[in-house]
Amino acid sequence: MKRIRSLAAATLAATLSMGTGGAWAQAGETVRIAVIDPQSGPFANIGLNILHTLEFLAEREGGTHNPAGVKFEIVPFDNKMSGPESLNVLKAAIDQGIRYVVQGGGSGVAGALIDAINKHNERNPGKEVVYLNYAAVDPDLTNSKCSFYHFSFDANTAMKMEAMGSSIQDDKRVRKVYLLNQNYSHGQQVTRYAKEVLRRKAPHVEIVGEDLHPLGQVKDFSPYIAKIKASGADTVITGNFGPDLSLAFKAARDAGLDVAFYTYYAGAAGTPAAIGDAGLGKIRFVYPIYTNLASPEYQAVFKAFGQKFPNEAFVTSPAYNLFKALSHGMAKAKSTDPVKVARAMEGLSFRSFTGDVTMRASDHQLQQPLYMATWNKVDAKNPIDVEKTGNTWTLDRLFDSYVASTPTTCQMKRPA
Amino acid sequence: MPARGRQAVLWGGFAFVLIVAPLVFQSGLALTALSQMGYMIIICLSYNLLLGQGGMLSFGHAVYTGLGAFCAVHALNHAGAEGLPLPVSLVPLVGGLGGAAVAAVLGWVSTRKAHVPFAMITMGVGELVFAMTPMFPGLFGGEGGISTNRVVGEPVFGITFGPQIQLYYLIATYCFACTALIFLFTATPLGRMLNAVRDNPERVAFVGCDPQTVRYIAFVIAGFFAGIGGGLFALNFELVQGSAVGGLTSASYLLYTYIGGTLLFFGPIIGAILSVLVGVLLSEFTKAWALYLGLAFMLIVMFAPGGLSAILMANLRVAASGKFCRLVKPGSALLAATPVWLAGVTSLVEMTYHRQIHAPLNPTFRHFGVLLDVSDGADWAGAAALAIVGGVLFECARRGFVRHWRMVQEEMHALGPGAGGAS
Amino acid sequence: MAFFALSLLNGISYGLLLFMLSAGLTLIMSMMGVLNFAHASFYMLGAYLAYQVSAWIGFWPALLISPLVAALLGAVFERWVLRRVHRHGHASELLVTVGLSFVMLEVVQLVWGRAPVGYRIPAELEGPLFTLFGSPFPLYRAFMMGVSILMLLAIWLLVSRTRIGLVIQAALTHPDMVQALGHDVPRVSMGVFGGGVALAALAGVVGGNAYTTEPGMAFSVGNIVFVVVVVGGMGSLGGAFVASLLIGVVTTFAVSLDQSLLHLLQAVDVPVTDAMANHALLALKISQVAPLLPYLLLVSVLIFRPKGLMGTRET
């Protein structure tokens, strides 16, 4: 009798798992995701905002309505913005059996993680870890350092510069450009790409000067602004972020410098509050979304996040695409095993706020439209007040995916 | 126990702990933590050569560990790519030579003065070097730093240094060797002169030695060991970034060496172990780790300037003089009151941090196994009450303990220097 | 000519701002021999307090309230912490202020969060004061310069002309004798420390809205303040003033110099190859290292003239 019962149970279980094609294999499963970012110390501001964003999205995207039927659990790890420390917490995450790692605060850390994860995956088959990158935008990460186990969801420095170049190409007001950047990898890359893209897309534009200043050391930008003024530039391109950006804006306003600023990071958490009323109509930045994007899904997410976290805003849209890619990937692979999911995510297309986006298989860089937004006063069409300043980001231009798409030199080694 | 026998036991014990530790703590994280403790011990000891032995407060020691690390990582890359005949096990020595070379150059300007001017010079030099690293991407690898692979060349006796356990034993070997060497240095005439320069540089000059020369040589030696520590760091992470020479890294060396204790030889060892425990483990348990560290540091500077090692030694001395039984009761009272007070205070701190960071998502969290709810006033009141009551208890117990302690110290003093006396 | 005049004006105003930041530290240094590592943290605290008071009451009351609160905290710290550490030596005092700077950073973040706060320049102080060669000079910058000069005058008058100043100066070198003469030296120390950090807080009130008010502000300002005090000479007010102006002007002018070692080589007719042109060190322009010149100055002064430009003591 017992044997018949256990046989019946086994047959039932086998039938169930076969009959529904294994889609139930991971349903109800909780996928644990490690978030490695600075959550204490001087860079904690951005790290905590992204942690809240990911926790919020995990709650929203997981559950029965998830395409793969999985739930997500976010496990935070504080790396204090240090590469070696990130490797420590990566070990801790792997020890806890977590197979998915999310990070974006700093390309230095990103490079370290890719290296360490490659080595770990090579030395520990069956325990592979996949790394999803939401903001580290060094193009090397999908070129010379590309890895099968790394997926990039933000547009990288070169892609955003392509978008800027297209904008400048069509803007007759731009004649003379000044390049102001921080003297480290990112700033040096922005300077290099700006020269290359402008030469190609807008050869009529003259680059009248460039400056590279030490990162985070400049308190008084007035000498730089004076140089910009003396050069006769009408546009400044800068990859600066944080105080290096907001102080530059303030100095420009104080000196009455009437130029347009094309930036990468004017929209990052905390910077709009520091900008205040400076540079209205002049400051622009390029990013996969902008605050007043007319997408019902995005507006719903934005509102819900703002209600849950009244002092923060939903600014990191790549995180949304990250969850969507993961969910669709798991549904396609019918599994939560990282290697199978990684394979499924290659070439995957899915619907996002801004239309269809594709995870390019050759280098694992998400191909998506980009937006150029300008800092302006709140109005009827653009009602969202950014960081209680009374101002907001309004749409300047939309760039289709193909505009910002850049070729890759990635020679990706895929597992057998 | 005769002094030599005692020394043998201590060193033997040290070696034993080094060998056995990874067999006890076996997880991946534990193994990398032990590895980090290994080279941090070397670094903190090298730092104490300056601070404790030489009276030189340096705010820029990371320059020497970091540049040593960069030398090591470049050498390792050359060994891999261009077949430089350098075994991986000797790479830290390259780091050491690099650190010594940089110390020889920068030390010439740094050691001309002592005390606060020295501290300021090291700070200025540290800032300069750190700020310059992003500007020379060929040397320092820009933001990503220089990465490397320690699995190069033919395995020797089957050892590739790929698995962390093999690297740990390499680090443990260097740790033991460097600790022994630094200990021997402190007993040499030069080491004693260094102490003399710390205590009374004018007298040293009268005796015929130039204090600046002594400081300079000590600086270079410290740079050598710092570079070895840096080289092991490079091997451990297979990555060196600009932060390795930064001010925060230097500050952490200072903080932990001081907390461990600068007056006794093994103080920095305690500090190094603590640095890894706090840096790697504590920050995963609580977001308030920086606050705790800052407060602990201030308390140690105020009440125990000799550091944890001095506290330990004082207790050992009491035990050796046979008067420890007198302290058992007040000590137990203190040990019983402390957790109560700490539980209350840490609950308040953790609740405050949790409220700021996580409350919108989940107002509850576990603290020492107890579920706390930041939206519940009763929990706040409870924690506050615990802190206050615990504080009162702690203060009473502390006063009692201090009274007994002072009595014991007086008695020991009256008995003469023969009483008590660990090494 | 226009560029030179503008740069000079910018340089001098930046120098005066640096002095405003370091005045309090110089006072504490000269009176107590303590190098207060937490000075920049009090600057940060002053800015945050001013932000809060401005939000509740207004900017002008904040000018008064914020330094007072900071002075109180400073006095409490001196009484309960610094005095206890005093007997262990100057190094210990330095270290305890290092610990304090970490603790203050955490507390500020706990109270006001980790993001920059919107501390704004009051409307009545916005706008240009005058226009020089087509460039407006902001009114608020002139206000900051004015505050800086007032600080200089106030400290100088206090130290040299008042009774308390003489007591302070005497207590520095002969504390026991001064105590024997009946003056309450510990109370004076408390007052001096409180006064010094009050000046730091005042600098925060005035500077926090012109620069961003965020948790990292102490870290970014701390180092340069030490450079000013040490270069000027520890214990010398005049030295700090001269040093800040020197640093301000040199840094500002250095930004406009785009010359590098390559230019030097070209000037002496050494042929420059492509490899050399791309070499990081040779191509390094003076403008790229301009913000680092203060540290170079610090190291040079400490090597050649450890007393500082106008200092009278070394430690």
Side-chain angles (χ1 to χ4, degrees):
Chain A
M1 190 59 194
K2 262 200 207 152
R3 270 193 82 191
I4 295 174
R5 260 214 243 138
S6 53
L7 199 57
T11 319
L12 189 64
T15 321
L16 274 176
S17 62
M18 270 178 1
T20 53
W24 296 96
Q26 77 277 25
E29 198 181 317
T30 300
V31 176
R32 293 163 74 211
I33 299 177
V35 177
I36 300 183
D37 264 327
Q39 287 139 16
S40 62
F43 304 97
N45 177 34
I46 300 194
L48 287 173
N49 176 256
I50 191 58
L51 181 63
H52 292 158
T53 305
L54 290 165
E55 285 173 329
F56 169 80
L57 286 171
E59 225 178 334
R60 195 170 197 272
E61 296 297 316
T64 44
H65 57 277
N66 180 283
V70 297
K71 289 208 278 273
F72 296 109
E73 181 193 336
I74 300 286
V75 186
F77 290 89
D78 183 4
N79 70 353
K80 304 182 207 74
M81 201 60 179
S82 148
E85 185 66 32
S86 308
L87 299 182
N88 274 338
V89 300
L90 177 67
K91 280 236 168 69
I94 291 175
D95 274 352
Q96 291 184 31
I98 302 177
R99 315 277 302 272
Y100 291 96
V101 167
V102 168
Q103 181 271 349
S107 297
V109 172
L113 281 176
I114 290 182
D115 220 30
I117 287 176
N118 280 344
K119 288 197 179 103
H120 165 84
N121 290 352
E122 191 186 312
R123 298 172 186 169
N124 297 280
K127 295 197 191 144
E128 291 87 352
V129 169
V130 158
Y131 162 38
L132 305 158
N133 167 7
Y134 66 83
V137 292
D138 187 341
D140 286 343
L141 298 175
T142 50
N143 280 285
S144 59
K145 293 189 185 153
C146 71
S147 157
F148 173 75
Y149 300 101
H150 161 251
F151 290 86
S152 172
F153 289 88
D154 194 354
N156 65 36
T157 311
M159 289 167 75
K160 289 178 181 159
M161 185 55 75
E162 291 287 341
M164 280 193 205
S166 292
S167 176
I168 290 178
Q169 187 180 44
D170 299 332
D171 190 346
K172 296 288 167 251
R173 294 169 297 180
V174 179
R175 306 248 102 221
K176 297 184 172 179
V177 165
Y178 200 96
L179 303 171
L180 176 69
N181 281 300
Q182 297 150 321
N183 197 354
Y184 83 116
S185 316
H186 167 69
Q188 290 158 1
Q189 279 170 344
V190 171
T191 303
R192 201 170 61 235
Y193 289 129
K195 287 182 184 162
E196 194 258 324
V197 168
L198 286 178
R199 200 181 321 128
R200 198 180 359 112
K201 283 189 166 173
H204 58 278
V205 166
E206 187 195 341
I207 297 180
V208 291
E210 65 178 82
D211 257 321
L212 287 169
H213 63 84
L215 174 63
Q217 299 272 358
V218 180
K219 271 250 83 125
D220 185 27
F221 273 89
S222 46
Y224 297 94
I225 302 297
K227 264 175 104 172
I228 296 175
K229 222 177 181 182
S231 71
D234 50 58
T235 305
V236 171
I237 297 183
T238 173
N240 286 13
F241 54 85
D244 281 334
L245 187 60
S246 42
L247 287 176
F249 288 145
K250 289 192 181 185
R253 181 195 52 182
D254 282 344
L257 182 66
D258 191 26
V259 300
F261 277 90
Y262 282 72
T263 78
Y264 279 68
Y265 290 108
T271 307
I275 297 177
D277 285 332
L280 283 169
K282 299 266 168 238
I283 298 176
R284 300 184 167 77
F285 83 111
V286 179
Y287 199 67
I289 53 158
Y290 74 105
T291 317
N292 291 294
L293 178 69
S295 146
E297 169 76 356
Y298 164 76
Q299 293 291 340
V301 167
F302 189 88
K303 206 156 161 204
F305 187 82
Q307 273 167 350
K308 201 143 207 183
F309 298 99
N311 292 322
E312 298 178 42
F314 178 81
V315 291
T316 319
S317 68
Y320 178 84
N321 288 330
L322 193 155
F323 275 100
K324 282 284 183 244
L326 211 53
S327 307
H328 289 296
M330 285 180 183
K332 186 169 161 196
K334 300 197 196 348
S335 158
T336 57
D337 174 67
V339 180
K340 293 195 182 122
V341 173
R343 259 193 255 275
M345 286 203 287
E346 283 191 321
L348 187 69
S349 257
F350 55 90
R351 186 141 198 85
S352 175
F353 298 138
T354 50
D356 279 338
V357 297
T358 310
M359 176 57 73
R360 191 161 71 182
S362 54
D363 60 350
H364 291 190
Q365 171 66 54
L366 191 71
Q367 305 296 309
Q368 58 191 320
L370 292 179
Y371 290 86
M372 169 101 57
T374 309
W375 190 234
N376 268 316
K377 281 243 161 277
V378 170
D379 60 35
K381 226 178 122 202
N382 302 288
I384 299 179
D385 182 346
V386 174
E387 297 187 359
K388 303 194 183 78
T389 51
N391 304 320
T392 186
W393 296 105
T394 64
L395 180 64
D396 203 58
R397 246 185 95 146
L398 157 68
F399 306 97
D400 291 320
S401 307
Y402 73 88
V403 174
S405 180
T406 49
T408 178
T409 59
C410 174
Q411 307 281 340
M412 191 177 291
K413 293 193 205 59
R414 291 186 175 75
Chain B
M1 202 192 258
R4 260 200 210 251
R6 203 159 41 209
Q7 292 236 351
V9 167
L10 280 172
W11 286 102
F14 182 48
F16 179 74
V17 168
L18 281 176
I19 295 174
V20 159
L23 303 174
V24 174
F25 304 102
Q26 285 180 359
S27 75
L29 181 66
L31 203 49
T32 185
L34 286 172
S35 308
Q36 285 170 63
M37 284 181 201
Y39 65 73
M40 275 304 282
I41 287 176
I42 303 177
I43 293 177
C44 286
L45 281 172
S46 80
Y47 187 69
N48 204 37
L49 265 180
L50 297 175
L51 180 59
Q53 307 283 344
M56 300 184 264
L57 176 62
S58 164
F59 282 118
H61 200 62
V63 168
Y64 308 100
T65 63
L67 289 180
F70 275 110
C71 284
V73 90
H74 280 296
L76 190 56
N77 280 337
H78 281 305
E82 281 140 53
L84 188 74
L86 177 71
V88 173
S89 48
L90 292 184
V91 164
L93 282 180
V94 175
L97 290 171
V102 176
V105 170
L106 293 176
W108 178 243
V109 307
S110 306
T111 54
R112 297 180 91 212
K113 293 289 155 190
H115 304 298
V116 180
F118 173 82
M120 291 292 112
I121 294 182
T122 55
M123 191 183 82
V125 167
E127 273 302 313
L128 265 176
V129 172
F130 179 59
M132 302 283 261
T133 51
M135 300 194 207
F136 299 101
L139 277 177
F140 300 109
E143 199 186 356
I146 309 269
S147 62
T148 184
N149 196 337
R150 61 179 185 248
V151 183
V152 292
E154 296 299 316
V156 177
F157 297 122
I159 299 177
T160 59
F161 293 118
Q164 184 76 31
I165 185 86
Q166 291 178 3
L167 183 68
Y168 168 77
Y169 280 112
L170 179 70
I171 293 178
T173 314
Y174 269 100
C175 175
F176 189 79
C178 291
T179 308
L181 283 172
I182 295 179
F183 184 73
L184 288 173
F185 171 77
T186 60
T188 61
L190 179 60
R192 298 291 179 180
M193 263 312 180
L194 186 61
N195 291 342
V197 167
R198 170 195 67 197
D199 295 330
N200 198 340
E202 215 177 320
R203 188 90 176 91
V204 170
F206 270 93
V207 164
C209 249
D210 180 8
Q212 199 211 334
T213 313
V214 173
R215 280 193 216 117
Y216 177 64
I217 298 178
F219 199 80
V220 175
I221 293 176
F224 174 68
F225 287 107
I228 291 183
L232 290 170
F233 161 86
L235 281 179
N236 186 40
F237 287 110
E238 297 173 288
L239 169 74
V240 185
Q241 295 181 330
S243 57
V245 299
L248 279 174
T249 314
S250 292
S252 74
Y253 297 153
L254 166 63
L255 229 68
Y256 290 109
T257 305
Y258 195 88
I259 290 178
T262 54
L263 300 176
L264 292 163
F265 179 75
F266 68 95
I269 298 181
I270 297 182
I273 295 175
L274 208 63
S275 78
V276 177
L277 288 175
V278 169
V280 175
L281 295 175
L282 185 65
S283 51
E284 293 310 316
F285 283 118
T286 164
K287 294 271 175 288
W289 65 273
L291 181 67
Y292 293 139
L293 185 62
L295 284 172
F297 184 66
M298 281 178 76
L299 287 173
I300 293 209
V301 176
M302 284 163 68
F303 295 110
L308 295 176
S309 56
I311 296 176
L312 184 65
M313 279 312 287
N315 279 304
L316 281 177
R317 257 197 289 272
V318 170
S321 73
K323 298 198 187 295
F324 204 69
C325 39
R326 296 268 296 281
L327 293 174
V328 166
K329 251 178 67 182
S332 326
L334 193 63
L335 280 173
T338 312
V340 176
W341 174 63
L342 278 180
V345 170
T346 54
S347 297
L348 283 174
V349 170
E350 294 298 328
M351 284 172 80
T352 314
Y353 271 83
H354 189 87
R355 184 160 155 269
Q356 194 190 48
I357 299 176
H358 287 300
L361 273 169
N362 182 8
T364 63
F365 68 100
R366 286 210 161 271
H367 184 58
F368 292 135
V370 176
L371 195 68
L372 291 171
D373 185 21
V374 297
S375 53
D376 186 0
D379 277 353
W380 285 96
L386 197 62
I388 293 174
V389 166
V392 167
L393 284 174
F394 177 77
E395 188 58 20
C396 292
R398 189 189 71 88
R399 289 199 186 174
F401 184 81
V402 168
R403 204 160 18 100
H404 281 93
W405 179 267
R406 291 222 174 101
M407 278 198 292
V408 167
Q409 294 293 324
E410 271 176 31
E411 286 171 24
M412 281 170 60
H413 200 70
L415 281 173
S423 59
Chain C
M1 176 57 199
F3 194 71
F4 180 83
L6 278 170
S7 294
L8 192 63
L9 189 60
N10 274 332
I12 292 180
S13 76
Y14 181 48
L16 284 174
L17 268 55
L18 284 179
F19 179 74
M20 184 177 72
L21 289 170
S22 18
L25 187 61
T26 312
L27 182 67
I28 294 177
M29 190 65 215
S30 62
M31 299 315 159
M32 297 169 68
V34 177
L35 203 57
N36 180 15
F37 240 76
H39 183 82
S41 308
F42 281 101
Y43 163 74
M44 172 178 67
L45 183 67
Y48 271 97
L49 283 172
Y51 160 70
Q52 200 60 67
V53 172
S54 298
W56 286 338
I57 315 175
F59 174 74
W60 299 101
L63 266 181
L64 198 62
I65 297 176
S66 174
L68 274 176
V69 171
L72 218 67
L73 289 170
V76 163
F77 176 73
E78 201 282 334
R79 168 79 182 80
W80 293 107
V81 179
L82 213 53
R83 202 172 294 179
R84 176 184 287 277
V85 170
H86 185 69
R87 60 168 177 267
H88 296 308
H90 282 317
S92 292
E93 288 173 322
L94 186 70
L95 289 174
V96 90
T97 56
V98 170
L100 180 69
S101 67
F102 279 104
V103 172
M104 280 178 77
L105 178 64
E106 285 298 306
V107 171
V108 162
Q109 285 182 324
L110 265 185
V111 176
W112 283 285
R114 289 146 211 281
V117 292
Y119 177 33
R120 310 246 165 270
I121 299 177
E124 53 264 27
L125 288 174
E126 275 187 32
L129 179 65
F130 58 83
T131 310
L132 184 70
F133 294 113
S135 282
F137 189 74
L139 173 61
Y140 198 72
R141 214 163 156 126
F143 175 68
M144 284 200 280
M145 289 167 75
V147 169
S148 175
I149 296 185
L150 268 175
M151 271 195 205
L152 172 68
L153 285 172
I155 300 174
W156 178 67
L157 283 173
L158 173 77
V159 163
S160 59
R161 293 278 184 268
T162 64
R163 191 122 191 256
I164 211 82
L166 293 174
V167 169
I168 291 171
Q169 286 196 64
L172 178 66
T173 43
H174 298 86
D176 298 319
M177 195 56 194
V178 173
Q179 183 88 16
L181 285 172
H183 300 284
D184 190 349
V185 174
R187 169 106 56 97
V188 166
S189 302
M190 210 162 73
V192 166
F193 195 82
V197 303
L199 286 172
L202 181 62
V205 174
V206 170
N209 48 17
Y211 306 124
T212 34
T213 302
E214 44 140 25
M217 65 194 290
F219 197 63
S220 60
V221 149
N223 292 331
I224 200 94
V225 167
F226 280 108
V227 173
V228 167
V229 167
V230 172
V231 166
M234 292 192 256
S236 164
L237 190 69
F241 187 70
V242 168
S244 19
L245 284 180
L246 181 68
I247 291 174
V249 169
V250 166
T251 315
T252 305
F253 272 100
V255 172
S256 55
L257 294 172
D258 281 323
Q259 283 72 25
S260 66
L261 283 173
L262 281 176
H263 291 93
L264 187 68
L265 289 175
Q266 280 168 338
V268 293
D269 284 330
V270 173
V272 173
T273 62
D274 269 337
M276 286 164 77
N278 285 327
H279 192 277
L281 183 60
L282 291 177
L284 197 64
K285 297 190 254 188
I286 297 179
S287 57
Q288 289 174 347
V289 293
L292 301 179
L293 289 177
Y295 300 112
L296 215 55
L297 193 61
L298 172 74
V299 176
S300 315
V301 163
L302 281 172
I303 297 171
F304 298 114
R305 211 190 141 80
K307 288 202 173 81
L309 291 177
M310 286 165 64
T312 48
R313 28 196 290 268
E314 265 180 36
T315 58

